[in-house]
Amino acid sequence: MIYVRKRGCHLAVRSSLMLISCKSHELRRANRFSPCHYGASPSSMPSCSPRCIGAAVFPMQDPSFHFVQSFATVAGTILVQALDPAKMCVQLEKAMEEHRYSDIWKLYEQYSGVDEFPRKFIVNKLLRICGESLEGEWLEKAYGWVERALEEGRQNQLEYDTLLYLSLSLARGGFHVQASTIVRKLVELQQYPPVTAWSAILAHMSSSPAGSYLAAELILEIGYLFQDNRIDPRKKSNAPLIAMKPNTTAVNIALAGCLLSGTTKKAEQLLYMIPRIGVKADVNLLITMAHIYERNGRKDELRKLQRYIHDAHNLTDTQFRQFYNCLLLCHLKFGDLNSASSMVLEMLRKAKDARNSLASATIEMAVNGKMTSPGLSSEPGPLSKHGNDSEKNDLMEIPVVSFQDFIQDRNHTKLEAEARNKLDQMLEKLQSHVEMITTKRGILQPTERIFVRLVKDFLEAGKPKDLAEFLIKAEKEDSPVSVDSSALVHVINACISLGWLDQAHDLVDEMQLAGIRPSSSVYSSLLKAYCKANKGANITCLLREVRKAGIQLDSSSYEALLESRILKDDKAGALSLFKEMKEYKIARTNQEFKSVVQGEDADAGLMGKLLHEIKEGQKVDYGVHDWNNVIHFFCRKRLMGDAEKALKKMRTLGLSPNAHTYHSMVTGYAAIGGKYIEVTELWGEMKSQAHATGMKFDEELLDSVLYTFVRGGFFSRANEVVEMMERGKMFVDKYKFRTLFLKYHKTMCKGKASKVQTESQLRKREAALSFKKWVGLF
């Protein structure tokens, strides 16, 4: 203890602290303070007990010690007392056993101040307790401690199991960046986590767009170690590394996450890596590949994949439906309406044959006295439905794994099952995106959605004849319906509502040529639209067709004709129409036809959806997809000269490159290396096109551009990309770019700047320092 007179208190305390700091090694050995007296001899120093004064923590300059400072108002002295590390360790362990998280961190902060290097088992136990809590505040504190320890080079204090368990807890708690960082650090420290463990971390990360992007990056980084048989599996020393190799489940998780978040270019990059690391493709992987090829417009790859789909023996109805939905969408994306319509008609024919076979089997069984179902239905019964519901509940409620269970399961079988359950959930979400095709009794059938899409594309392509042929054939294959409720009539009414009267008239003519007599409602709707548009020649032509077909018009049509004659001051024509109405005893307006023209008919569901699709949708330029495929092919083969020629030809044809085009070019330049000037020119073109046409930059394109600029040391351009990504609130993987900077520009901007610098050198240095600060290297 140290006693100081009240007079000159501030100076005496300051001097005492300096003396204590200088004598720290002696104080640590004696575990007490030697008396020190200012202005009085030790014998004259008054005694004082700690009980008679209030104690308070007084911080010291030396982080290895904490002192208790007390002010005695009566004696006028100051008491400074050392804390006992052993006692604090006991209190900390007790708080952790009782899960008093707020007390745990307060005690730990005091304990870490007393002991410069806290005991290893205390640190790891603290991190495990925080990981088991799954609460954001304690997970953040635990990760912050790990981050500081790794930066200070104290990784020896961290156990492998603790870090892996904390990464899993962070992923479960939604801290996906932190979880991926720990996995990356483990790989750097050559403490390789097995794929059965880190695939579960991957599964939880893939629940968010940023996490799914990081999951794909992890697969690429870890998979890079195994490309082209770099690791010899025969060496026993490589066994931990081989256990970390990505498997089919991990790849499926990453691909499904990319699809759900829309990062399909990164997913396609993963597909190119799969054969190089020897991952076996299962049925789920084949279907996921189909989704990726459809999203990116790879029709040739989809056609090649079709052979593998047909050869797969364990393909379910749902997976079969997903593949053909992707194939159908790809046909539409490229404007191949003939192939798309042929697919739909083939489905209708097979469904009709299945219905006939089912009817024949039902009649045969009824004759034999067996009224049971022939068993063709794929719908689950009550027991199987109940089982499916319970299975879904099991998927949604995965029990939290404690650290004790985690270390006891050395093969991580529970985590592997958890990863597969999460994969099943993601694949189920992916199935819900299938809209064009459904399955009934195991037979593919087109939905109303595909009819709407085909009608829209046929009309935009100016092919009413092909559209009418398709709809007529479809109605013949499908169950017969009345003319008024047929799909073709709904399409005609939709064209009339949109003002596309010429297309509607062409469809009516195609109906007649096909031997189908249009109903009076069709002629009435078209006639009133012509009258409203004041098209006299078209009105005369249509009236001639109506009378030739022997169709009687309704009162609303005559009223529209009368109004048209009156507006043209055609009194003779109006009087002739009035006499005709009187002769046929037409006296009142039929509201049914009016509602059909205005799109208010409750039965006209197809027309309503078509109107919405045409009004909301944008016309697609199919030529862009074709040229994108050509450019992508050349870039993959690293034939950048041919890719540049294809891009130039694309521009001369009046087609504007999009994000897919530029992404292929940038990744192609990055693959051959050294083409930084070319990427800079592309970047300038992209910015000008975005300003002129409003082209949107996506996260994957900007990430590729940023990677190329950082690799080449173009930091002023890199800062532009970073600013654009942050302005668009896009996710940026700072860990990747920090690693890239340290790999290629580690010695850049170290030490003092040269006194003699040009303005260009100064700007380059400032840009590099700005980027270095952004990635967290300051």
Side-chain angles (χ1 to χ4, degrees):
M1 301 178 187
I2 301 175
Y3 295 91
V4 184
R5 296 292 182 185
K6 187 175 182 180
R7 184 176 60 186
C9 177
H10 297 292
L11 179 61
V13 169
R14 192 181 305 114
S15 302
S16 301
L17 298 181
M18 291 174 62
L19 180 60
I20 290 169
S21 178
C22 295
K23 302 286 185 176
S24 62
H25 63 283
E26 297 178 5
L27 297 176
R28 189 189 301 271
R29 188 185 315 140
N31 197 22
R32 60 185 177 84
F33 297 106
S34 300
C36 180
H37 180 225
Y38 294 90
S41 62
S43 60
S44 62
M45 188 165 52
S47 62
C48 182
S49 173
R51 296 181 180 178
C52 64
I53 56 177
V57 176
F58 190 81
M60 294 297 299
Q61 299 294 330
D62 188 352
S64 302
F65 294 92
H66 274 272
F67 301 95
V68 179
Q69 169 190 334
S70 304
F71 295 92
T73 56
V74 178
T77 60
I78 299 176
L79 171 67
V80 183
Q81 181 178 348
L83 299 178
D84 186 3
K87 185 177 180 180
M88 294 187 65
C89 184
V90 172
Q91 292 176 350
L92 180 57
E93 284 191 78
K94 186 177 180 181
M96 286 192 288
E97 289 175 0
E98 297 174 357
H99 293 82
R100 292 184 281 111
Y101 294 102
S102 56
D103 294 337
I104 287 173
W105 279 101
K106 289 179 183 178
L107 290 168
Y108 178 75
E109 287 173 359
Q110 293 179 8
Y111 173 68
S112 60
V114 172
D115 193 352
E116 185 176 1
F117 297 101
R119 299 180 187 179
K120 186 175 181 178
F121 85 93
I122 289 289
V123 171
N124 287 275
K125 188 173 183 180
L126 175 65
L127 297 177
R128 296 164 191 166
I129 290 292
C130 292
E132 287 179 345
S133 71
L134 290 181
E135 294 185 12
E137 181 182 358
W138 314 121
L139 288 173
E140 282 185 313
K141 284 181 177 290
Y143 175 76
W145 198 98
V146 171
E147 191 177 32
R148 287 195 302 272
L150 292 173
E151 287 176 357
E152 295 170 5
R154 289 188 287 161
Q155 57 266 19
N156 292 333
Q157 279 194 302
L158 301 171
E159 295 179 356
Y160 161 79
D161 289 331
T162 301
L163 287 178
L164 190 59
Y165 181 73
L166 181 60
S167 177
L168 177 64
S169 300
L170 287 166
R172 281 175 168 163
F175 297 94
H176 301 146
V177 177
Q178 293 86 339
S180 65
T181 301
I182 290 181
V183 175
R184 283 166 158 171
K185 285 293 183 182
L186 284 173
V187 177
E188 282 184 18
L189 297 172
Q190 296 184 356
Q191 296 182 8
Y192 305 118
V195 66
T196 51
W198 67 265
S199 60
I201 299 172
L202 213 67
H204 289 284
M205 287 171 53
S206 298
S207 60
S208 70
S212 61
Y213 195 89
L214 284 170
E217 288 286 356
L218 269 177
I219 293 280
L220 290 170
E221 291 172 12
I222 296 176
Y224 178 77
L225 303 173
F226 301 93
Q227 284 186 8
D228 305 323
N229 299 318
R230 292 177 181 174
I231 308 299
D232 188 358
R234 296 171 295 179
K235 292 184 178 180
K236 291 184 179 180
S237 58
N238 289 336
L241 186 57
I242 294 295
M244 187 183 66
K245 180 181 175 181
N247 59 9
T248 307
T249 301
V251 172
N252 275 328
I253 289 170
L255 291 176
C258 287
L259 281 170
L260 292 173
S261 61
T263 52
T264 54
K265 301 185 193 74
K266 183 65 67 177
E268 190 171 13
Q269 190 178 350
L270 275 177
L271 292 184
Y272 298 145
M273 188 195 69
I274 287 174
R276 300 186 65 183
I277 63 176
V279 173
K280 294 182 179 180
D282 63 352
V283 175
N284 288 329
L285 185 54
L286 292 176
I287 299 303
T288 310
M289 291 169 67
H291 282 284
I292 295 168
Y293 289 147
E294 179 271 315
R295 298 273 187 92
N296 293 340
R298 312 293 181 223
K299 61 179 180 180
D300 294 332
E301 282 79 357
L302 258 179
R303 288 169 181 165
K304 294 175 185 176
L305 191 63
Q306 189 172 6
R307 178 167 56 88
Y308 295 98
I309 293 294
H310 287 167
D311 292 341
H313 64 278
N314 54 346
L315 203 69
T316 64
D317 290 347
T318 305
Q319 292 166 333
F320 202 64
R321 181 174 73 229
Q322 287 183 74
F323 173 77
Y324 278 97
N325 186 81
C326 294
L327 186 59
L328 190 55
L329 284 173
C330 202
H331 285 319
L332 294 173
K333 185 172 288 186
F334 283 87
D336 190 358
L337 301 179
N338 292 330
S339 298
S341 58
S342 298
M343 276 186 65
V344 172
L345 292 174
E346 182 66 22
M347 287 183 227
L348 291 174
R349 275 193 292 271
K350 290 184 178 180
K352 183 179 180 181
D353 294 340
R355 283 196 304 270
N356 294 337
S357 300
L358 178 62
S360 301
T362 305
I363 293 172
E364 183 179 350
M365 297 187 76
V367 170
N368 294 332
K370 298 177 182 179
M371 296 305 297
T372 56
S373 171
L376 295 178
S377 176
S378 61
E379 296 296 327
L383 291 177
S384 60
K385 285 184 179 179
H386 179 73
N388 289 340
D389 291 340
S390 63
E391 185 180 352
K392 288 181 181 180
N393 291 334
D394 291 338
L395 293 180
M396 297 302 293
E397 299 176 3
I398 299 173
V400 177
V401 180
S402 65
F403 181 76
Q404 192 65 27
D405 296 335
F406 176 78
I407 58 173
Q408 286 178 356
D409 186 14
R410 300 311 301 175
N411 295 325
H412 303 292
T413 54
K414 292 182 180 178
L415 290 184
E416 189 176 12
E418 184 177 338
R420 288 177 179 171
N421 287 337
K422 294 291 290 184
L423 174 61
D424 290 340
Q425 292 180 41
M426 288 191 286
L427 292 177
E428 189 175 350
K429 290 180 182 177
L430 205 58
Q431 292 169 11
S432 64
H433 295 172
V434 177
E435 297 180 344
M436 301 295 181
I437 301 175
T438 186
T439 307
K440 290 183 180 179
R441 297 182 178 89
I443 303 298
L444 298 179
Q445 289 189 356
T447 63
E448 195 177 49
R449 176 76 178 170
I450 182 58
F451 284 100
V452 171
R453 179 68 184 272
L454 278 171
V455 168
K456 172 180 175 290
D457 290 354
F458 270 121
L459 291 174
E460 288 181 348
K463 298 179 178 179
K465 180 180 179 180
D466 296 336
L467 173 59
E469 289 179 359
F470 163 70
L471 291 176
I472 291 167
K473 289 178 181 178
E475 287 176 0
K476 287 180 180 179
E477 299 293 345
D478 203 357
S479 56
V481 294
S482 64
V483 176
D484 289 335
S485 60
S486 66
L488 186 54
V489 171
H490 290 320
V491 172
I492 293 171
N493 287 327
C495 292
I496 294 171
S497 300
L498 290 167
W500 298 354
L501 304 183
D502 292 337
Q503 289 90 332
H505 203 156
D506 291 339
L507 289 173
V508 171
D509 293 340
E510 293 299 331
M511 281 183 73
Q512 290 178 332
L513 292 173
I516 301 174
R517 182 182 178 183
S519 65
S520 60
S521 62
V522 175
Y523 285 109
S524 177
S525 301
L526 185 56
L527 184 62
K528 285 184 280 189
Y530 276 140
C531 291
K532 188 176 180 180
N534 197 20
K535 294 187 175 182
N538 299 93
I539 293 172
T540 304
C541 180
L542 188 61
L543 280 175
R544 190 183 306 116
E545 293 177 12
V546 167
R547 292 189 175 107
K548 184 178 179 180
I551 295 174
Q552 177 62 54
L553 297 173
D554 64 307
S555 59
S556 61
S557 302
Y558 279 103
E559 289 173 2
L561 287 169
L562 281 170
E563 186 177 354
S564 175
R565 294 288 190 270
I566 292 170
L567 288 174
K568 290 184 176 181
D569 199 19
D570 185 2
K571 296 180 181 179
L575 183 60
S576 175
L577 286 172
F578 183 75
K579 291 179 179 179
E580 190 174 336
M581 287 179 68
K582 189 174 181 181
E583 179 182 353
Y584 291 111
K585 299 180 180 180
I586 300 173
R588 60 181 184 176
T589 303
N590 191 338
Q591 293 295 331
E592 178 186 354
F593 300 127
K594 184 178 180 180
S595 64
V596 169
V597 176
Q598 295 176 351
E600 299 171 358
D601 189 357
D603 296 329
L606 177 63
M607 186 181 70
K609 292 178 182 179
L610 177 61
L611 288 171
H612 178 77
E613 180 78 16
I614 292 175
K615 290 177 180 178
E616 297 295 327
Q618 296 180 351
K619 191 171 181 179
V620 181
D621 200 338
Y622 305 115
V624 174
H625 293 295
D626 287 318
W627 281 103
N628 278 349
N629 265 345
V630 173
I631 293 171
H632 178 75
F633 172 80
F634 288 137
C635 292
R636 271 200 65 195
K637 298 297 183 180
R638 301 187 180 184
L639 303 172
M640 296 309 298
D642 294 326
E644 290 169 356
K645 292 178 183 177
L647 181 60
K648 185 177 180 181
K649 181 66 176 178
M650 182 180 178
R651 293 193 188 104
T652 56
L653 294 174
L655 300 174
S656 299
N658 58 13
H660 282 271
T661 318
Y662 289 119
H663 185 271
S664 298
M665 294 295 296
V666 171
T667 52
Y669 283 132
I672 60 177
K675 298 292 184 178
Y676 307 117
I677 301 298
E678 287 80 356
V679 176
T680 305
E681 292 174 355
L682 274 180
W683 174 241
E685 180 185 331
M686 288 157 59
K687 290 189 293 183
S688 61
Q689 186 172 342
H691 179 73
T693 64
M695 184 188 74
K696 299 292 183 182
F697 295 125
D698 57 36
E699 177 184 326
E700 296 171 284
L701 172 60
L702 293 179
D703 183 85
S704 300
V705 175
L706 181 58
Y707 184 91
T708 309
F709 284 151
V710 176
R711 172 67 181 84
F714 288 65
F715 292 107
S716 58
R717 297 287 183 268
N719 291 332
E720 289 180 13
V721 181
V722 168
E723 183 183 355
M724 184 176 292
M725 294 183 79
E726 290 183 340
R727 190 167 56 246
K729 297 180 180 179
M730 301 178 187
F731 171 74
V732 189
D733 186 5
K734 287 188 179 182
Y735 185 95
K736 179 176 72 174
F737 293 109
R738 182 164 59 247
T739 305
L740 189 67
F741 186 92
L742 292 174
K743 183 177 180 180
Y744 294 105
H745 312 287
K746 188 175 183 178
T747 59
M748 193 173 188
C749 301
K750 279 196 171 183
K752 294 183 179 180
S754 175
K755 293 183 179 180
V756 181
Q757 280 187 325
T758 63
E759 186 177 352
S760 175
Q761 291 173 332
L762 183 62
R763 285 199 304 268
K764 185 176 180 180
R765 178 180 175 84
E766 289 176 353
L769 288 172
S770 176
F771 183 83
K772 194 174 180 180
K773 183 178 180 181
W774 176 75
V775 295
L777 289 174
F778 275 153

